[in-house]
Amino acid sequence: MSRELDCAALLAHPANGGLLHVAGPENAPWAGVDIDPDLHGRGPAPDRIPGDSPAPPIAVFTTALPDAPWKQDALIRRARDRGYRILVVPGASAASAGARELTRRFAMTVLAVEEPAHCARACWQLEQSSDALALDYVRSVAAVFQHEAADLSGLFRNISSSIGHAAALVDRSGTLVDTGEGLPDGFVDSVDFDAWVTRVNSDEVSAVTVRVQTHARTGIRLVIYDRGLADVQLRALETMAEVVMPAVAARITLDELAALTDASASSELLREFLELRGARNPEVERRMAERAWRTAGYQLGFAFRGIGRTDAHSMLRAVSQKLGPSELDTRVTILGRSAVGWVVLGDDPSAERVEATAAGLRAIHDELRRSWDAAMGIGSLQSGESGLRTTVTEAVDAAKVAVNRASAGYRVRVDSLGLDQLLLAWTSNDTFLPAAESLLSPLMNDSQDLLQTLTTYLDHESVVNATAAAMGIHRNTVSMRIHRVQQLLGVDFADPRTRMALHLACHAVLGD
Amino acid sequence: MELLLPRAVEWPIDVVDVAEADPQTPCCAVAFAGSTMVLTERFVDRDPFARLIDAAERWLGTSIPSVCAMEGGGINALVPLLCEGLMVVDADLSGRAVPSLDQMSIFVDELPGLITVCETGGGGLAVLETDRPADIEALVRASMVRSGGAGAVLLAGFTVGDLADHAITGHTARGLALGRAFLESAEATAAEAADAIGARLIGIGRVAAIDHDRDDPHLSVFDIRTAQGEVLRVVARSEFLAVILDGAPVATAPDAIIAIDVLSHAILEIADLTVNAHVAVLVIEAAPWWWDRAGRAEAVLPSAYGLTGVDVRA
């Protein structure tokens, strides 16, 4: 879709002399510019036959709009009679309500301007000299590099303010940085990520995108966008974007390097903390305090692990980006192949808040899975220093288990029932037996009939007749005992995970 | 005037056509000048112009047996009827209401030998004789201030015959005809009422806004939106001076610009035009006298009031 020159393109020009829309349609087309035209000639202007000519020129006036309302009306009418449809007038913002109504009635457009000469130059650039326009953009953006930006967002803000249009960084998952009012929904889907330079035109914005070449990250593009940009402006912005892209790439590389360094340091710190197992280490405590890693209060651990070969640093970046806008107070770093962290919940959080936090983490996992194959583990609610170790360790182990839990959406949460906890403890044998005994304790009557019956029942794939035959008892007795087990443990035998966990526990307790 | 006239004079009153009177007959033109608001609060003498006529007769050395109006519009159209004993001639010096004495037709046509007599307050009178009408306006205004804001004014030094060439004749007859036709159309629509009185209907709409000029506080611009969406503006000072429709002037002084309430047909003065008032704007063409000779209309066009860009010439 090509865009002809219209008022919107002139309004979008960053050096248009301070143009402001006053009345009438913003998409009125134009071709050419007349400065201080003579409006007192009789009849229509020469070479402008209504219905037979291209778009009319813009009339740019250097004298201010008259104060008298009837003189404002007269100016508009005479301009209309001379064939003009767009008027650019200093002080037009003060136009009376009647003058604005007359503008609309005549299907004209009135723009207020502060510097008419600059406006005329902008018209000339748009119409005659796209090279000059590109040169202006490049000159403007070159000044940006004289000022050091604190981070990537700061660099984009500097670029945006210098060229007068919004700047953004996107990848296939969405927007990474944006200085404007936001790219419209579905914008990323319409971008050709394989092309070097592309244009995107929608009802809301027009944009140019350039592939950012950096080894630190792939699949990212620089986007310059605004409303109402004409083709000539888009061409000029393409040139500017190609010029500024290497600076963006360099900034990304530097930021990635800094992030890698920081991730390594924080990962090492977390490892040291977990290995302390309760021992005190002032140096570790100091470094944790520097990072605001508090251990007081309640925490909920989480871990995101790639399914298949995944770069942990990339996973950490993706997780951090999703956590950033959320309301969760989190700390996150790398541990092994996972992005690991915890949610700080303060003192004595309510059950509702804990569940809302878990729901928030699940939502982040869902978002992440749109572009990553990732499993997530959530630990149990814990408090204090030892609790932090516990919940983080649970989350890491849960994430490992979740990798194989497609039916559960690649998500495992260590819950209060303890079944998952039991299975996790399988990885650590010295904790499994106590956990199994604890789980099955309601069945531990003197004769252990119930435990034996449950074990045999599970050995025989939950078939009552086979269980009865194996034990030499009536089938009704088996049914009655299994029903009693269900009541005592409060489990659902229909869940295969439940059966597996119980099966393991029974054999562990019985010592066979 | 409505209270004064029935009691002050003997009715019926003969109003003589200019052509029917001896052209050599000396004549004077009378009016009240100054603030009309002050006039409504003051008791008027039974024969308010008697002293002024005496002074004019002493100055001119001749009696003045006839009288005409200065303004054919406004309350001054009926003022000559207060002059008992004088022949009332059906003529006036403007054909409408005008704010300045130097806009009177005999001054515009630069008749020689004219004098002006006005009250100066405290029983005093001033007699002015000059070739510069602007001085008359300035001096009479100053006298009105001394006289408490309003007072009687008289112009003399001309004859009935002068009125035939240098005045607008027949305002009384015309006014009666207009008034009767207007009353008879009380139940008609505004458009029909306009047609009945020979006026041109410019537009019907509601007052959307009232703007005041930043530099001239006496200048008001009424922004009216018609039912057809037109932008109709009426520019006024102490009277309506111009009508602009969609940016083009369509009527200006000396035409008579009238605003009436659409429902009641009440004739609206400037102060009656408020926001949301539902009005019809009518125009009655000015007396041809103003256009019969070059230079006359310039005295009463809006440009004479300092309003540029809206003059409409016949």
PDB file of all heavy atoms in Angstrom, chain A residues 81-108:
ATOM      1  N   ASP A  81     -12.427  29.406  -2.756  1.00  0.00           N
ATOM      2  CA  ASP A  81     -12.802  29.856  -4.086  1.00  0.00           C
ATOM      3  C   ASP A  81     -11.618  29.827  -5.049  1.00  0.00           C
ATOM      4  O   ASP A  81     -11.806  29.683  -6.264  1.00  0.00           O
ATOM      5  CB  ASP A  81     -13.385  31.273  -4.018  1.00  0.00           C
ATOM      6  CG  ASP A  81     -14.740  31.304  -3.319  1.00  0.00           C
ATOM      7  OD1 ASP A  81     -15.331  30.223  -3.143  1.00  0.00           O
ATOM      8  OD2 ASP A  81     -15.184  32.403  -2.935  1.00  0.00           O
ATOM      9  N   ARG A  82     -10.419  29.963  -4.541  1.00  0.00           N
ATOM     10  CA  ARG A  82      -9.214  29.924  -5.385  1.00  0.00           C
ATOM     11  C   ARG A  82      -8.679  28.518  -5.544  1.00  0.00           C
ATOM     12  O   ARG A  82      -7.618  28.320  -6.117  1.00  0.00           O
ATOM     13  CB  ARG A  82      -8.119  30.824  -4.785  1.00  0.00           C
ATOM     14  CG  ARG A  82      -8.480  32.300  -4.777  1.00  0.00           C
ATOM     15  CD  ARG A  82      -8.593  32.899  -6.155  1.00  0.00           C
ATOM     16  NE  ARG A  82      -7.324  33.104  -6.796  1.00  0.00           N
ATOM     17  CZ  ARG A  82      -7.169  33.383  -8.089  1.00  0.00           C
ATOM     18  NH1 ARG A  82      -8.217  33.447  -8.868  1.00  0.00           N
ATOM     19  NH2 ARG A  82      -5.973  33.569  -8.591  1.00  0.00           N
ATOM     20  N   GLY A  83      -9.403  27.550  -5.011  1.00  0.00           N
ATOM     21  CA  GLY A  83      -9.036  26.158  -5.255  1.00  0.00           C
ATOM     22  C   GLY A  83      -8.166  25.512  -4.205  1.00  0.00           C
ATOM     23  O   GLY A  83      -7.771  24.362  -4.351  1.00  0.00           O
ATOM     24  N   TYR A  84      -7.876  26.195  -3.126  1.00  0.00           N
ATOM     25  CA  TYR A  84      -7.043  25.599  -2.080  1.00  0.00           C
ATOM     26  C   TYR A  84      -7.915  24.781  -1.144  1.00  0.00           C
ATOM     27  O   TYR A  84      -9.065  25.114  -0.885  1.00  0.00           O
ATOM     28  CB  TYR A  84      -6.297  26.677  -1.291  1.00  0.00           C
ATOM     29  CG  TYR A  84      -5.294  27.430  -2.118  1.00  0.00           C
ATOM     30  CD1 TYR A  84      -5.578  28.707  -2.593  1.00  0.00           C
ATOM     31  CD2 TYR A  84      -4.070  26.855  -2.445  1.00  0.00           C
ATOM     32  CE1 TYR A  84      -4.660  29.388  -3.368  1.00  0.00           C
ATOM     33  CE2 TYR A  84      -3.155  27.527  -3.220  1.00  0.00           C
ATOM     34  CZ  TYR A  84      -3.444  28.795  -3.685  1.00  0.00           C
ATOM     35  OH  TYR A  84      -2.540  29.466  -4.454  1.00  0.00           O
ATOM     36  N   ARG A  85      -7.332  23.708  -0.616  1.00  0.00           N
ATOM     37  CA  ARG A  85      -8.057  22.879   0.328  1.00  0.00           C
ATOM     38  C   ARG A  85      -7.324  22.755   1.647  1.00  0.00           C
ATOM     39  O   ARG A  85      -7.892  22.289   2.635  1.00  0.00           O
ATOM     40  CB  ARG A  85      -8.269  21.473  -0.261  1.00  0.00           C
ATOM     41  CG  ARG A  85      -9.293  21.445  -1.374  1.00  0.00           C
ATOM     42  CD  ARG A  85     -10.677  21.837  -0.882  1.00  0.00           C
ATOM     43  NE  ARG A  85     -11.651  21.959  -1.962  1.00  0.00           N
ATOM     44  CZ  ARG A  85     -11.939  23.095  -2.570  1.00  0.00           C
ATOM     45  NH1 ARG A  85     -11.327  24.215  -2.229  1.00  0.00           N
ATOM     46  NH2 ARG A  85     -12.844  23.121  -3.523  1.00  0.00           N
ATOM     47  N   ILE A  86      -6.050  23.128   1.652  1.00  0.00           N
ATOM     48  CA  ILE A  86      -5.273  23.046   2.890  1.00  0.00           C
ATOM     49  C   ILE A  86      -4.643  24.414   3.127  1.00  0.00           C
ATOM     50  O   ILE A  86      -3.948  24.935   2.260  1.00  0.00           O
ATOM     51  CB  ILE A  86      -4.176  21.966   2.803  1.00  0.00           C
ATOM     52  CG1 ILE A  86      -4.791  20.607   2.481  1.00  0.00           C
ATOM     53  CG2 ILE A  86      -3.390  21.893   4.109  1.00  0.00           C
ATOM     54  CD1 ILE A  86      -3.767  19.541   2.139  1.00  0.00           C
ATOM     55  N   LEU A  87      -4.903  24.983   4.290  1.00  0.00           N
ATOM     56  CA  LEU A  87      -4.327  26.274   4.648  1.00  0.00           C
ATOM     57  C   LEU A  87      -3.402  26.094   5.836  1.00  0.00           C
ATOM     58  O   LEU A  87      -3.753  25.431   6.809  1.00  0.00           O
ATOM     59  CB  LEU A  87      -5.428  27.269   5.031  1.00  0.00           C
ATOM     60  CG  LEU A  87      -6.584  27.461   4.049  1.00  0.00           C
ATOM     61  CD1 LEU A  87      -7.508  28.563   4.543  1.00  0.00           C
ATOM     62  CD2 LEU A  87      -6.070  27.778   2.674  1.00  0.00           C
ATOM     63  N   VAL A  88      -2.231  26.697   5.740  1.00  0.00           N
ATOM     64  CA  VAL A  88      -1.280  26.696   6.850  1.00  0.00           C
ATOM     65  C   VAL A  88      -1.115  28.149   7.266  1.00  0.00           C
ATOM     66  O   VAL A  88      -0.636  28.971   6.474  1.00  0.00           O
ATOM     67  CB  VAL A  88       0.072  26.082   6.423  1.00  0.00           C
ATOM     68  CG1 VAL A  88       1.094  26.242   7.538  1.00  0.00           C
ATOM     69  CG2 VAL A  88      -0.123  24.619   6.066  1.00  0.00           C
ATOM     70  N   VAL A  89      -1.530  28.473   8.482  1.00  0.00           N
ATOM     71  CA  VAL A  89      -1.602  29.875   8.894  1.00  0.00           C
ATOM     72  C   VAL A  89      -1.025  30.032  10.294  1.00  0.00           C
ATOM     73  O   VAL A  89      -1.420  29.284  11.202  1.00  0.00           O
ATOM     74  CB  VAL A  89      -3.061  30.375   8.899  1.00  0.00           C
ATOM     75  CG1 VAL A  89      -3.105  31.891   9.098  1.00  0.00           C
ATOM     76  CG2 VAL A  89      -3.799  29.967   7.640  1.00  0.00           C
ATOM     77  N   PRO A  90      -0.140  30.971  10.518  1.00  0.00           N
ATOM     78  CA  PRO A  90       0.324  31.228  11.885  1.00  0.00           C
ATOM     79  C   PRO A  90      -0.849  31.654  12.756  1.00  0.00           C
ATOM     80  O   PRO A  90      -1.717  32.414  12.320  1.00  0.00           O
ATOM     81  CB  PRO A  90       1.342  32.367  11.710  1.00  0.00           C
ATOM     82  CG  PRO A  90       1.764  32.299  10.280  1.00  0.00           C
ATOM     83  CD  PRO A  90       0.573  31.804   9.527  1.00  0.00           C
ATOM     84  N   GLY A  91      -0.868  31.159  13.983  1.00  0.00           N
ATOM     85  CA  GLY A  91      -1.928  31.561  14.902  1.00  0.00           C
ATOM     86  C   GLY A  91      -3.276  30.945  14.627  1.00  0.00           C
ATOM     87  O   GLY A  91      -4.279  31.365  15.216  1.00  0.00           O
ATOM     88  N   ALA A  92      -3.348  29.945  13.764  1.00  0.00           N
ATOM     89  CA  ALA A  92      -4.658  29.366  13.414  1.00  0.00           C
ATOM     90  C   ALA A  92      -5.272  28.604  14.578  1.00  0.00           C
ATOM     91  O   ALA A  92      -6.469  28.305  14.561  1.00  0.00           O
ATOM     92  CB  ALA A  92      -4.525  28.451  12.198  1.00  0.00           C
ATOM     93  N   SER A  93      -4.480  28.282  15.589  1.00  0.00           N
ATOM     94  CA  SER A  93      -5.052  27.622  16.762  1.00  0.00           C
ATOM     95  C   SER A  93      -6.094  28.497  17.443  1.00  0.00           C
ATOM     96  O   SER A  93      -6.950  28.002  18.170  1.00  0.00           O
ATOM     97  CB  SER A  93      -3.950  27.283  17.774  1.00  0.00           C
ATOM     98  OG  SER A  93      -3.028  26.391  17.212  1.00  0.00           O
ATOM     99  N   ALA A  94      -5.994  29.828  17.201  1.00  0.00           N
ATOM    100  CA  ALA A  94      -6.953  30.741  17.809  1.00  0.00           C
ATOM    101  C   ALA A  94      -8.187  30.941  16.954  1.00  0.00           C
ATOM    102  O   ALA A  94      -9.004  31.824  17.228  1.00  0.00           O
ATOM    103  CB  ALA A  94      -6.284  32.102  18.063  1.00  0.00           C
ATOM    104  N   ALA A  95      -8.338  30.141  15.909  1.00  0.00           N
ATOM    105  CA  ALA A  95      -9.504  30.283  15.026  1.00  0.00           C
ATOM    106  C   ALA A  95     -10.786  30.115  15.833  1.00  0.00           C
ATOM    107  O   ALA A  95     -10.875  29.275  16.722  1.00  0.00           O
ATOM    108  CB  ALA A  95      -9.440  29.228  13.912  1.00  0.00           C
ATOM    109  N   SER A  96     -11.776  30.932  15.483  1.00  0.00           N
ATOM    110  CA  SER A  96     -13.051  30.872  16.199  1.00  0.00           C
ATOM    111  C   SER A  96     -13.771  29.574  15.865  1.00  0.00           C
ATOM    112  O   SER A  96     -13.457  28.900  14.876  1.00  0.00           O
ATOM    113  CB  SER A  96     -13.919  32.055  15.795  1.00  0.00           C
ATOM    114  OG  SER A  96     -14.263  31.949  14.422  1.00  0.00           O
ATOM    115  N   ALA A  97     -14.737  29.239  16.696  1.00  0.00           N
ATOM    116  CA  ALA A  97     -15.516  28.025  16.467  1.00  0.00           C
ATOM    117  C   ALA A  97     -16.217  28.089  15.118  1.00  0.00           C
ATOM    118  O   ALA A  97     -16.307  27.091  14.397  1.00  0.00           O
ATOM    119  CB  ALA A  97     -16.540  27.851  17.590  1.00  0.00           C
ATOM    120  N   GLY A  98     -16.694  29.263  14.753  1.00  0.00           N
ATOM    121  CA  GLY A  98     -17.363  29.406  13.469  1.00  0.00           C
ATOM    122  C   GLY A  98     -16.412  29.170  12.303  1.00  0.00           C
ATOM    123  O   GLY A  98     -16.777  28.538  11.302  1.00  0.00           O
ATOM    124  N   ALA A  99     -15.176  29.660  12.433  1.00  0.00           N
ATOM    125  CA  ALA A  99     -14.200  29.449  11.372  1.00  0.00           C
ATOM    126  C   ALA A  99     -13.866  27.960  11.239  1.00  0.00           C
ATOM    127  O   ALA A  99     -13.694  27.440  10.137  1.00  0.00           O
ATOM    128  CB  ALA A  99     -12.931  30.252  11.655  1.00  0.00           C
ATOM    129  N   ARG A 100     -13.760  27.262  12.352  1.00  0.00           N
ATOM    130  CA  ARG A 100     -13.484  25.822  12.294  1.00  0.00           C
ATOM    131  C   ARG A 100     -14.660  25.087  11.652  1.00  0.00           C
ATOM    132  O   ARG A 100     -14.479  24.155  10.861  1.00  0.00           O
ATOM    133  CB  ARG A 100     -13.241  25.277  13.702  1.00  0.00           C
ATOM    134  CG  ARG A 100     -11.961  25.782  14.335  1.00  0.00           C
ATOM    135  CD  ARG A 100     -11.901  25.452  15.824  1.00  0.00           C
ATOM    136  NE  ARG A 100     -10.834  26.176  16.471  1.00  0.00           N
ATOM    137  CZ  ARG A 100      -9.731  25.616  16.937  1.00  0.00           C
ATOM    138  NH1 ARG A 100      -9.548  24.315  16.831  1.00  0.00           N
ATOM    139  NH2 ARG A 100      -8.795  26.349  17.518  1.00  0.00           N
ATOM    140  N   GLU A 101     -15.852  25.524  12.003  1.00  0.00           N
ATOM    141  CA  GLU A 101     -17.038  24.892  11.421  1.00  0.00           C
ATOM    142  C   GLU A 101     -17.066  25.150   9.921  1.00  0.00           C
ATOM    143  O   GLU A 101     -17.397  24.253   9.131  1.00  0.00           O
ATOM    144  CB  GLU A 101     -18.296  25.444  12.096  1.00  0.00           C
ATOM    145  CG  GLU A 101     -19.599  24.899  11.550  1.00  0.00           C
ATOM    146  CD  GLU A 101     -19.704  23.401  11.671  1.00  0.00           C
ATOM    147  OE1 GLU A 101     -19.121  22.828  12.622  1.00  0.00           O
ATOM    148  OE2 GLU A 101     -20.360  22.791  10.795  1.00  0.00           O
ATOM    149  N   LEU A 102     -16.713  26.353   9.529  1.00  0.00           N
ATOM    150  CA  LEU A 102     -16.700  26.678   8.100  1.00  0.00           C
ATOM    151  C   LEU A 102     -15.656  25.825   7.374  1.00  0.00           C
ATOM    152  O   LEU A 102     -15.884  25.363   6.251  1.00  0.00           O
ATOM    153  CB  LEU A 102     -16.399  28.169   7.914  1.00  0.00           C
ATOM    154  CG  LEU A 102     -16.697  28.742   6.529  1.00  0.00           C
ATOM    155  CD1 LEU A 102     -18.168  28.576   6.191  1.00  0.00           C
ATOM    156  CD2 LEU A 102     -16.302  30.216   6.484  1.00  0.00           C
ATOM    157  N   THR A 103     -14.524  25.609   8.030  1.00  0.00           N
ATOM    158  CA  THR A 103     -13.487  24.747   7.449  1.00  0.00           C
ATOM    159  C   THR A 103     -14.045  23.357   7.169  1.00  0.00           C
ATOM    160  O   THR A 103     -13.869  22.788   6.087  1.00  0.00           O
ATOM    161  CB  THR A 103     -12.285  24.644   8.402  1.00  0.00           C
ATOM    162  OG1 THR A 103     -11.750  25.944   8.640  1.00  0.00           O
ATOM    163  CG2 THR A 103     -11.206  23.744   7.855  1.00  0.00           C
ATOM    164  N   ARG A 104     -14.704  22.824   8.171  1.00  0.00           N
ATOM    165  CA  ARG A 104     -15.274  21.492   8.001  1.00  0.00           C
ATOM    166  C   ARG A 104     -16.370  21.503   6.934  1.00  0.00           C
ATOM    167  O   ARG A 104     -16.478  20.587   6.118  1.00  0.00           O
ATOM    168  CB  ARG A 104     -15.847  21.001   9.322  1.00  0.00           C
ATOM    169  CG  ARG A 104     -14.798  20.540  10.313  1.00  0.00           C
ATOM    170  CD  ARG A 104     -15.434  19.914  11.544  1.00  0.00           C
ATOM    171  NE  ARG A 104     -16.012  20.909  12.420  1.00  0.00           N
ATOM    172  CZ  ARG A 104     -15.354  21.486  13.423  1.00  0.00           C
ATOM    173  NH1 ARG A 104     -14.102  21.158  13.665  1.00  0.00           N
ATOM    174  NH2 ARG A 104     -15.938  22.380  14.196  1.00  0.00           N
ATOM    175  N   ARG A 105     -17.131  22.551   6.918  1.00  0.00           N
ATOM    176  CA  ARG A 105     -18.244  22.635   5.961  1.00  0.00           C
ATOM    177  C   ARG A 105     -17.717  22.677   4.529  1.00  0.00           C
ATOM    178  O   ARG A 105     -18.327  22.111   3.622  1.00  0.00           O
ATOM    179  CB  ARG A 105     -19.034  23.898   6.294  1.00  0.00           C
ATOM    180  CG  ARG A 105     -20.245  24.136   5.518  1.00  0.00           C
ATOM    181  CD  ARG A 105     -21.072  25.263   6.175  1.00  0.00           C
ATOM    182  NE  ARG A 105     -21.940  25.885   5.204  1.00  0.00           N
ATOM    183  CZ  ARG A 105     -23.026  25.301   4.693  1.00  0.00           C
ATOM    184  NH1 ARG A 105     -23.361  24.104   5.084  1.00  0.00           N
ATOM    185  NH2 ARG A 105     -23.770  25.936   3.799  1.00  0.00           N
ATOM    186  N   PHE A 106     -16.596  23.331   4.335  1.00  0.00           N
ATOM    187  CA  PHE A 106     -16.001  23.417   3.008  1.00  0.00           C
ATOM    188  C   PHE A 106     -15.082  22.236   2.701  1.00  0.00           C
ATOM    189  O   PHE A 106     -14.412  22.250   1.680  1.00  0.00           O
ATOM    190  CB  PHE A 106     -15.203  24.729   2.879  1.00  0.00           C
ATOM    191  CG  PHE A 106     -16.045  25.971   2.766  1.00  0.00           C
ATOM    192  CD1 PHE A 106     -15.475  27.222   2.924  1.00  0.00           C
ATOM    193  CD2 PHE A 106     -17.401  25.912   2.494  1.00  0.00           C
ATOM    194  CE1 PHE A 106     -16.239  28.385   2.826  1.00  0.00           C
ATOM    195  CE2 PHE A 106     -18.180  27.046   2.387  1.00  0.00           C
ATOM    196  CZ  PHE A 106     -17.588  28.295   2.561  1.00  0.00           C
ATOM    197  N   ALA A 107     -15.040  21.243   3.589  1.00  0.00           N
ATOM    198  CA  ALA A 107     -14.152  20.074   3.425  1.00  0.00           C
ATOM    199  C   ALA A 107     -12.714  20.509   3.225  1.00  0.00           C
ATOM    200  O   ALA A 107     -11.986  19.949   2.401  1.00  0.00           O
ATOM    201  CB  ALA A 107     -14.618  19.204   2.254  1.00  0.00           C
ATOM    202  N   MET A 108     -12.318  21.514   3.973  1.00  0.00           N
ATOM    203  CA  MET A 108     -10.936  21.984   3.909  1.00  0.00           C
ATOM    204  C   MET A 108     -10.209  21.580   5.178  1.00  0.00           C
ATOM    205  O   MET A 108     -10.814  21.061   6.111  1.00  0.00           O
ATOM    206  CB  MET A 108     -10.914  23.510   3.756  1.00  0.00           C
ATOM    207  CG  MET A 108     -11.488  23.976   2.434  1.00  0.00           C
ATOM    208  SD  MET A 108     -11.698  25.745   2.363  1.00  0.00           S
ATOM    209  CE  MET A 108      -9.996  26.307   2.320  1.00  0.00           C
TER     210      MET A 108
END
